[in-house]
Amino acid sequence: DATRNERVQAHLARLLGPVVLKPGSAGLKISDLEAIENPVVVTVAGSGQAKRDGGTWAVPMGTAPNLVSRFAARRSRHHDVVIGPKHVIEQRFALTIAANKHIVSAPKALRVTSPFGSFELTVTHKNNVVEVASTLRVNRARISPSDYAEWRAFCQKVDKSGEPVEGIGVHGTP
């Protein structure tokens, strides 16, 4: 518990670039980890550093699932791939845009479905807030060698769809 905020901040920095969490429980809230029947919910609030390219700022808005590198790196398999329990991973990133800025690029909404699961990426823009949300559902705990090619194709589609999560392009005075 004593180093939880620092560890989460370091993990987010590896995924999104430099980040600073709000102090105390305002920056990091984690659901009851002892309630093993309930999903783990991690809520993070803070600020990040945008990358600047001329007059445009790029703000990271999520992370790609990286299913291929984790579960489908080989072209074929002779044994089952053990994925672990069926699971759902939901991510939501919100960005508040200052009044003197406007959005020049954003990820595109996408849905990928298969017998193995699904991936959905949604982007909403309301007032001065942009939200990028993704939901990855994995419906199988293991993949047989006979299903591996189809599983690998699903992983490739999901990872490709995650690429646009690189960020929101914002233009305006700093």
Side-chain angles (χ1 to χ4, degrees), residues 75-81 116 140 142-152:
R75 294 196 182 277
S76 64
R77 294 287 298 209
H78 298 290
H79 303 286
D80 286 1
V81 176
F116 306 105
R140 300 250 187 112
R142 46 175 71 236
I143 306 298
S144 68
S146 62
D147 290 335
Y148 183 74
E150 189 179 355
W151 161 251
R152 188 166 192 256

Side-chain angles (χ1 to χ4, degrees), residues 44-63:
V44 179
S47 59
Q49 184 175 343
K51 296 177 187 173
R52 187 169 183 160
D53 181 16
T56 303
W57 300 81
V59 181
M61 292 292 287
T63 58

Side-chain angles (χ1 to χ4, degrees), residues 66-78:
N66 297 318
L67 293 179
V68 172
S69 64
R70 291 171 46 210
F71 301 115
R74 297 181 179 176
R75 294 196 182 277
S76 64
R77 294 287 298 209
H78 298 290

Side-chain angles (χ1 to χ4, degrees), residues 37-158:
E37 295 295 323
N38 296 331
V40 174
V41 177
V42 178
T43 305
V44 179
S47 59
Q49 184 175 343
K51 296 177 187 173
R52 187 169 183 160
D53 181 16
T56 303
W57 300 81
V59 181
M61 292 292 287
T63 58
N66 297 318
L67 293 179
V68 172
S69 64
R70 291 171 46 210
F71 301 115
R74 297 181 179 176
R75 294 196 182 277
S76 64
R77 294 287 298 209
H78 298 290
H79 303 286
D80 286 1
V81 176
V82 179
I83 298 168
K86 299 174 185 178
H87 60 279
V88 176
I89 298 173
E90 295 180 337
Q91 294 184 22
R92 298 207 183 320
F93 289 82
L95 174 67
T96 302
I97 308 291
N100 61 344
K101 302 198 176 7
H102 64 277
I103 297 169
V104 294
S105 65
K108 294 191 181 351
L110 186 63
R111 181 158 176 78
V112 177
T113 59
S114 88
F116 306 105
S118 63
F119 178 79
E120 183 172 17
L121 180 73
T122 60
V123 180
T124 57
H125 184 199
K126 186 175 180 182
N127 298 327
N128 64 334
V129 177
V130 178
E131 183 176 275
V132 176
S134 66
T135 302
L136 171 65
R137 295 181 188 284
V138 178
N139 298 336
R140 300 250 187 112
R142 46 175 71 236
I143 306 298
S144 68
S146 62
D147 290 335
Y148 183 74
E150 189 179 355
W151 161 251
R152 188 166 192 256
F154 169 72
C155 291
Q156 289 169 333
K157 285 180 188 174
V158 169

